Amino acid sequence: MRLVAVGACLLSALAACDRPGDRSPAPGAVIEPRDERLEPVTPPDLASLEASARQAVERRQLFLRERLRAPEVSDADLGAAYGELGKAYHAFGYPASAVAPYRNALRLQPAEFRWPYYLAHVLREEGSSEALEMAQAARVKRPRYLAAILLEADLRFAGGETAAAEELYRSALAVDENCASAWAGLGRIAVERGETHAAVDAFEAALAASPEANSLHYPLALAYRRLGEIERATEHLARRGELVPGVLDPVLDEVVLGNSEAWAARGLNALRAGNPRPAARDLARAVALAPERHDIRLHLGAALARLGDLEGALAQYRTAAELEPGAATVHYNLGFVLGRLGRTEEALAALTRAVELDPTHKAARSTLGRRLTRSGRHEEALEQLDALLEIDPNHLSGRLWRSRALMGLGRHREALRAIEDHLALHPQEPFGRHVRARFLAICPDPALRDPAQALTEALALAGSEGTFEHLRTVAMAEAAGGDFAAAIDWQRRAIALAEQTGASGLEAEMAAELEAYAAGRTSARATW
Amino acid sequence: MRNGCRRVVSFGIGLLTLPGCHQPDSAAPVVAVEATTSGDWFVEIAAASGLEFVHDRGATGRYYFPEIGGAGAALFDYDGDGDLDVYLVQGGALGPDRAAADRAGDRLFRNDLAAGVPRFVDVTAEAGIDARGYGVGAATADVDGDGDVDLYLTNFGRNQLLSNNGDGTFSDRTDESGTGEPRWSSSACFLDFDRDGRLDLYVANYTNFGFDNHKDCRSRTGNHDYCGPQSYEPEPDRLYRNLGDGRFADVSASSGIVSHYGAGLGVVSADFDGDAWPDLFVANDQMANFLWMNRHDGTFDEQGLLSGTALGADGSMEASMGVDAGDIDNDGDEDLFMTHLRAQTNTVYVNEGTGWFSDASYKTGLGGPSLDFTGFGALLFDYDGDGWLDVLAVNGAVSALEALERIGDPFPYHQTNQLFHNAGAGVFEEVSAGAGIAFDLSEAGRGAAAGDLDNDGDTDVVISNLSGPVRLLENRIGAAGGFAGLRWLAGAGGEAIGTRATVLRRDGLRLTRHVRTAASYASANDPRLRFGLGGTGGPVTLDVTTPARSRTRWSDVPAGAYLVGRGD
């Protein structure tokens, strides 16, 4: 970012740039060209951008307008201003809008590598066949820039030009013989040609160059399968992941480099759209540029947690808590992830702190109530869950967790009432129906226990839902009704299904239940 | 080309003829098929034929996930009069406070085909159809074996089974059948997985989106936009076994189907490994696809990864939408074609003959041209009757397209559809530009169903658009080179899904096709088989293998007619 160098006007408030009688155009107005070589630039609607991001883009628009109005501006200066605006559009997710300013920049600075290179990227995003032409133009300007060689190679491969693509991948290897992306490209070409041994060699070379690029285990596995080496294929399938080989691309990084807002916006949007991997990557870049921003760290923690990296998430949340100790959500997230890591006491402390900071924080109260229930601290759990239901009388799971706490306190009739209250509010909610079936199967109070009704409800759920927990409830109901043979059968099916679906953490509990049924006993510790 | 009246002969155990048609000539005139350089290959005739329907996605401004999914269509002969009728699935009002009564509901259009010209009449009310779920898809089959075609409807909400009463009306048998799956379902598929002669039902489910877990997703520019499947949890699919008395048993757990969860959008059944048992392929959105291989004992084994159909060629997960199976290289086995999200290629998996596949997306030429499109409807059909299955991709975005937003487009999701010609050597070429102005239409395409709606021996297409009018693309060139047609019925009932038929043409080319209805995205196709003769003329040799593995061979089968046969 070189905005500092482009004139004092930019560094001051926009109003200060206005000369008397000189009204600046609205930010969305078309930026008309200076001469016939150039094309007009239509700014996109920036209304949905975060304020700081919007201002960043508008500053570049304004700067370009200033350059265009200035009496003597060199092509190089004007080209740079167009290019910077293109980068802003590009960085904040407007590739189609970036095309015109990049084109103008290229016309004004034809020797510059970046403009055709960036154009190739945005045109590819827009599905334009011109992307290849631009990629080639860029590569000619910098023939040893790996990322440009690979971009053109990939575009040629996608267009069916395998011979040209192969030549480019090989030229990439001439620059760096350990370029995993180039080896992977050669592997793909070999697969297309049916040259399976060559494919194996290329994918093996790619993995050797970049062992973390675990997505490559999949095409390698299929190549081994084609050779009849099923064992090796299976071995590689088990190791496959989602990481793709990459190549350093400082020129492309420059589009958003130094701009924490752009990285954060990209990451947050990816996270909201349910794509945690790119979200984590972009948010990590934003954190690197703005380590003091606790809000970005919170998002990064969420992305890492979605990826299963709980320790990584914990580190982000801890730092966020140091940066902003008064933010309830920071402590809630900290407590949530500590709970997932099994560090119960620390989780309870963090969640308690979140509730202290914000007594209306529903998620914190709910999670604290659940954690306390699971820890056997039923009285305290009830206190939290009652407070939760006061804040949100329709809370989806509050009454069910309350019923479990009441069960723990031996207040069975109240527990049943809590379940019934929940079902009155949410009659189709499957977890509530499941809890009632289980309650009827396991309630220690014989006046409330109803094995026959439990069995009916559990079978209905097992038919339509089919999770291992439902099968397990059927087993409990059968045991409560005295049919231990049936209970054993259902419990075995539940265990098998839990293994199939990868459900973990309940193996010992379920095995103990099976043992109890085999001994002609019901399970004393079952709950929900 | 329209013949005015198709010719029909009957053979086998049962005999059927279609009204108003004479018996066949022994040999149809041979017409050479040449590349058409002028004139529209497909002409859009929906409104002109009375097929007037506009999909309502029920957009609320809240960007509820189902609003972007759209719906499918079904082509089936509900009244048994010999021509295909059209069922169109409708969305409608959506939200926690909206009821079924707020929705217009699906529509059934009867085809009153006259002189080779389809005319459609809305008969929804008189057929007794009341389908006001927030609709997604339709599947068709003779579920109860009484000879007429029943309907299964997938919804965001409870699914419905509508049983054909055989008198032009339907009865809702959802409760009795036990098939009222409440999850968000997309595509469904009938197949006889246990080979007991009764058609079972597979239902692909999508995600656990609900109004209570709705998420606020944004485009890269911060605008409100629709979430992707990864914002929610995938739902397990369902497999229902037909008990034969109107009831289905949910065997999802015992069959192993629930051992893997995926955000399913498309499903197709075929015998991928040639063991004479139907397998299943499920196209999952942004997750690994499933290839369920039938283990012959009521269970399935998920073989997606080792088979090479789970992921893209580079090992990345793809957003699979619609899917179709067919023999694109005429080597006798079933290949797969599926549509994907923008920036991912549409994918062709070529069967190596054993249920193992190779990704041939780039090699076939189908990959590159699809990168700028988000495909939903996916059809393999021989549009020009040359004997090679071609490809139609029905496109429409799921995220707002910036290029359209820039010009102030109020619905920035529309794209054009793509037609690819199979040149016969495993290479496809995009021919959309020459296919007619119907391919200039830019809409948010979703479902696509293929069938011979005017009974002229070629394949027409019905396209259902998100928030747009239905389109009927009438094929004007497909029958020019002659065809051999086949309708194969089960011993006592309707279409014998799973039947395999092979035609040996006079030029030695062998064409293998399978009777199925479910394919594409949330849609159901014409179950009749058409074999393009490519100007080689008849008669041809026909080999039929039924799902029960009885095999019959006929030589001297005349061209230019749909033959109707029956047998288990």
Side-chain angles (χ1 to χ4, degrees):
Chain A
M1 299 272 280
R2 297 192 180 83
L3 287 178
V4 171
V6 295
C9 183
L10 260 189
L11 301 175
S12 50
L14 298 185
C17 292
D18 288 348
R19 289 179 287 274
D22 177 17
R23 295 189 54 174
S24 293
V30 173
I31 303 173
E32 297 295 347
R34 186 180 65 176
D35 56 52
E36 69 282 355
R37 288 177 302 168
L38 308 176
E39 56 189 278
V41 173
T42 305
D45 181 359
L46 304 172
S48 56
L49 282 184
E50 298 281 337
S52 55
R54 187 171 62 247
Q55 285 158 13
V57 178
E58 285 176 351
R59 275 198 300 270
R60 294 197 194 188
Q61 289 178 176
L62 183 70
F63 178 64
L64 175 60
R65 291 182 198 279
E66 289 292 332
R67 296 279 90 187
L68 284 165
R69 281 194 303 201
E72 284 183 20
V73 179
S74 68
D75 278 3
D77 281 353
L78 191 57
Y82 271 117
E84 291 300 324
L85 180 60
K87 284 162 63 180
Y89 290 156
H90 190 174
F92 287 100
Y94 302 97
S97 301
V99 172
Y102 278 154
R103 275 195 213 285
N104 287 344
L106 178 59
R107 286 172 187 131
L108 293 163
Q109 292 186 303
E112 171 67 48
F113 163 76
R114 290 175 302 164
W115 311 139
Y117 185 59
Y118 295 153
L119 259 175
H121 276 281
V122 293
L123 289 166
R124 182 165 74 157
E125 275 196 57
E126 289 302 297
S128 167
S129 56
E130 199 192 335
L132 177 57
E133 188 189 322
M134 287 298 127
Q136 185 179 11
R139 197 248 314 159
V140 167
K141 290 182 199 305
R142 281 182 72 173
R144 291 183 63 79
Y145 190 69
L146 267 183
I149 301 170
L150 292 169
L151 175 64
E152 186 188 344
D154 289 347
L155 287 165
R156 291 203 183 278
F157 178 74
E161 297 179 45
T162 46
E166 181 184 10
E167 198 178 318
L168 287 162
Y169 288 130
R170 293 205 183 282
S171 69
L173 289 171
V175 176
D176 175 4
E177 63 181 358
N178 285 317
C179 177
S181 299
W183 283 116
L186 289 176
R188 287 199 304 269
I189 288 171
V191 168
E192 292 285 307
R193 292 175 175 162
E195 297 166 354
T196 310
H197 285 286
V200 165
D201 290 345
F203 289 128
E204 290 280 18
L207 272 166
S210 178
E212 70 282 1
N214 52 16
S215 65
L216 293 171
H217 287 290
Y218 182 73
L220 179 58
L222 296 187
Y224 275 123
R225 186 204 70 185
R226 248 170 247 124
L227 292 175
E229 297 188 39
I230 306 304
E231 215 169 285
R232 291 182 93 159
T234 309
E235 193 184 301
H236 281 285
L237 284 176
R239 293 165 65 189
R240 68 162 193 97
E242 291 172 42
L243 297 179
V244 298
V247 62
L248 288 176
D249 191 352
V251 177
L252 188 63
D253 286 349
E254 186 192 310
V255 171
V256 280
L257 198 66
N259 190 337
S260 63
E261 289 295 343
W263 288 118
R266 283 163 61 132
L268 185 56
N269 284 333
L271 185 62
R272 281 172 171 158
N275 298 312
R277 192 169 300 286
R281 184 194 59 212
D282 292 345
L283 289 164
R285 286 170 170 160
V287 163
L289 291 164
E292 74 290 354
R293 291 275 299 273
H294 83 280
D295 56 331
I296 301 177
R297 287 185 185 276
L298 270 186
H299 298 317
L300 176 57
L304 293 171
R306 290 276 297 275
L307 289 169
D309 181 2
L310 297 179
E311 292 289 353
L314 182 62
Q316 293 303 326
Y317 292 150
R318 282 206 189 287
T319 310
E322 285 166 17
L323 290 167
E324 192 64 42
T329 298
V330 172
H331 294 278
Y332 161 68
N333 284 13
L334 193 55
F336 185 87
V337 82
L338 282 165
R340 294 265 306 273
L341 285 165
R343 293 157 68 169
T344 304
E345 287 309 315
E346 290 173 84
L348 290 173
L351 291 165
T352 303
R353 181 70 187 134
V355 168
E356 285 168 2
L357 289 166
D358 180 2
T360 67
H361 201 299
K362 287 191 284 188
R365 284 223 187 258
S366 167
T367 309
L368 179 57
R370 285 158 51 186
R371 287 269 160 230
L372 287 166
T373 305
R374 283 185 175 146
S375 306
R377 291 158 66 170
H378 301 301
E379 290 284 7
E380 293 167 77
L382 268 185
E383 194 182 316
Q384 292 301 330
L385 294 165
D386 285 343
L388 170 68
L389 290 168
E390 220 168 274
I391 302 164
D392 180 7
N394 294 322
H395 194 273
L396 192 62
S397 60
R399 284 179 179 77
L400 296 178
W401 284 101
R402 193 170 175 277
S403 72
R404 180 169 158 173
L406 289 164
M407 278 287 277
L409 292 167
R411 292 156 62 177
H412 305 128
R413 198 167 293 277
E414 289 174 77
L416 180 58
R417 196 179 313 130
I419 297 168
E420 298 292 359
D421 287 348
H422 169 88
L423 286 169
L425 279 169
H426 312 285
Q428 296 303 320
E429 198 274 304
F431 186 57
R433 294 165 58 208
H434 170 72
V435 167
R436 181 169 64 185
R438 196 167 275 190
F439 176 92
L440 295 172
I442 63 169
C443 181
D445 183 345
L448 299 175
R449 193 170 58 241
D450 186 345
Q453 183 62 25
L455 187 59
T456 303
E457 294 188 16
L459 282 171
L461 286 166
S464 65
E465 303 287 336
T467 70
F468 77 91
E469 282 288 14
H470 295 118
L471 304 185
R472 191 177 166 210
T473 305
V474 176
M476 289 174 188
E478 292 282 19
D483 189 344
F484 290 101
I488 290 167
D489 182 42
W490 281 101
Q491 186 72 2
R492 284 190 175 138
R493 288 164 64 179
I495 291 169
L497 189 57
E499 282 171 6
Q500 274 183 339
T501 52
S504 59
L506 291 168
E507 294 87 349
E509 206 171 311
M510 290 172 75
E513 287 163 11
L514 184 62
E515 215 169 278
Y517 303 151
R521 290 183 280 107
T522 57
S523 172
R525 296 184 54 202
T527 182
W528 51 89
Chain B
M1 292 185 54
R2 217 175 263 152
N3 293 331
C5 181
R6 73 206 149 115
R7 294 176 293 273
V8 173
V9 295
S10 305
F11 63 99
I13 301 164
L15 300 175
L16 282 179
T17 54
L18 300 172
C21 291
H22 58 77
Q23 290 297 302
D25 298 329
S26 58
V30 175
V31 180
V33 176
E34 295 176 357
T36 306
T37 53
S38 63
D40 288 353
W41 302 348
F42 287 88
V43 177
E44 204 289 299
I45 60 162
S49 63
L51 201 59
E52 297 200 63
F53 176 92
V54 177
H55 179 260
D56 172 15
R57 67 191 180 120
T60 56
R62 299 286 315 277
Y63 290 82
Y64 289 135
F65 199 5
E67 292 173 8
I68 199 66
L75 306 184
F76 70 126
D77 183 9
Y78 90 97
D79 53 359
D81 67 349
D83 55 41
L84 289 173
D85 309 295
V86 178
Y87 189 90
L88 296 170
V89 180
Q90 183 59 288
L94 185 67
D97 53 347
R98 307 309 293 265
D102 297 334
R103 302 189 188 108
D106 300 350
R107 312 308 293 172
L108 173 64
F109 289 87
R110 187 183 65 221
N111 186 356
D112 293 339
L113 184 67
V117 178
R119 293 281 172 214
F120 292 96
V121 179
D122 186 336
V123 294
T124 313
E126 70 185 71
I129 290 176
D130 185 16
R132 294 170 194 270
Y134 188 89
V136 181
T140 58
D142 180 11
V143 172
D144 44 14
D146 62 356
D148 50 41
V149 192
D150 309 298
L151 265 172
Y152 185 75
L153 306 175
T154 58
N155 291 315
F156 170 67
R158 191 165 182 261
N159 297 343
Q160 272 181 289
L161 178 66
L162 302 182
S163 175
N164 192 327
N165 299 322
D167 59 0
T169 67
F170 290 80
S171 298
D172 191 323
R173 304 272 185 227
T174 312
D175 289 338
E176 301 96 299
S177 66
T179 56
E181 165 68 350
R183 296 174 181 82
W184 179 2
S185 304
S186 52
S187 294
C189 171
F190 286 102
L191 74 160
D192 183 8
F193 79 89
D194 52 1
R195 291 197 354 197
D196 64 354
R198 296 187 285 260
L199 287 172
D200 312 299
L201 172 64
Y202 188 95
V203 180
N205 287 324
Y206 193 46
T207 71
N208 72 342
F209 165 84
F211 300 117
D212 54 350
N213 66 357
H214 168 63
K215 292 186 172 68
D216 176 31
C217 288
R218 307 276 176 144
S219 69
R220 287 190 306 168
T221 59
N223 275 316
H224 280 286
D225 209 342
Y226 292 99
C227 292
Q230 289 170 319
S231 298
Y232 298 94
E233 296 299 321
E235 289 279 39
D237 295 344
R238 293 287 110 187
L239 180 65
Y240 296 101
R241 183 169 167 262
N242 191 335
L243 300 177
D245 57 0
R247 294 178 304 134
F248 285 75
D250 184 340
V251 294
S252 311
S254 62
S255 64
I257 290 297
V258 296
S259 61
H260 291 74
Y261 285 26
L265 284 179
V267 58
V268 67
S269 173
D271 175 14
F272 292 111
D273 55 358
D275 64 355
W277 290 78
D279 311 303
L280 280 156
F281 179 84
V282 183
N284 288 321
D285 189 0
Q286 209 59 57
M287 298 182 70
N289 299 317
F290 299 149
L291 183 66
W292 292 108
M293 301 306 286
N294 195 323
R295 294 167 63 170
H296 317 167
D297 60 357
T299 67
F300 287 83
D301 194 16
E302 207 289 290
Q303 287 285 326
L305 284 172
L306 191 59
S307 73
T309 57
L311 306 169
D314 60 355
S316 59
M317 286 191 279
E318 296 182 312
S320 300
M321 312 287 195
V323 61
D324 200 357
D327 184 7
I328 64 166
D329 45 8
N330 283 333
D331 65 352
D333 55 33
E334 298 263 54
D335 311 301
L336 285 162
F337 169 74
M338 65 211 64
T339 46
H340 284 140
L341 201 62
R342 195 168 184 237
Q344 300 172 352
T345 67
N346 289 342
T347 295
V348 182
Y349 293 119
V350 173
N351 196 335
E352 296 173 4
T354 56
W356 285 358
F357 293 77
S358 301
D359 186 329
S361 307
Y362 284 114
K363 193 176 183 178
T364 54
L366 287 165
S370 65
L371 282 166
D372 192 34
F373 295 89
T374 292
F376 273 85
L379 290 174
L380 291 173
F381 72 103
D382 180 8
Y383 77 83
D384 59 349
D386 66 355
W388 296 88
L389 291 177
D390 309 298
V391 165
L392 175 70
V394 168
N395 299 319
V398 292
S399 299
L401 298 169
E402 194 220 338
L404 295 176
E405 283 185 315
R406 273 174 60 76
I407 56 172
D409 194 303
F411 188 58
Y413 299 92
H414 55 86
Q415 297 185 308
T416 53
N417 299 322
Q418 292 173 290
L419 184 68
F420 295 88
H421 178 247
N422 185 341
V427 176
F428 289 76
E429 181 191 6
E430 185 173 1
V431 291
S432 317
I437 57 172
F439 281 85
D440 293 339
L441 290 168
S442 185
E443 296 174 306
R446 291 295 184 261
D452 184 2
L453 283 151
D454 47 10
N455 283 339
D456 65 353
D458 59 27
T459 305
D460 313 297
V461 179
V462 169
I463 294 172
S464 54
N465 289 311
L466 177 76
S467 259
V470 68
R471 301 296 183 185
L472 197 175
L473 306 192
E474 187 206 353
N475 189 333
R476 292 281 173 92
I477 61 161
F483 79 104
L486 176 68
R487 183 179 181 210
W488 193 263
L489 302 167
E495 317 293 344
I497 288 175
T499 297
R500 170 192 168 104
T502 300
V503 156
L504 177 60
R505 291 197 331 193
R506 288 170 66 179
D507 64 352
L509 188 63
R510 202 177 290 274
L511 313 179
T512 300
R513 308 284 184 258
H514 292 79
V515 177
R516 69 166 65 88
T517 56
S520 185
Y521 170 67
S523 296
N525 296 324
D526 183 357
R528 293 173 299 178
L529 305 180
R530 283 169 291 283
F531 301 86
L533 301 185
T536 58
V540 296
T541 301
L542 173 66
D543 200 316
V544 173
T545 305
T546 69
R549 312 314 297 160
S550 82
R551 188 173 172 187
T552 318
R553 184 184 175 89
W554 291 269
S555 53
D556 295 329
V557 174
Y562 280 105
L563 313 175
V564 183
R566 185 185 291 278
D568 289 322

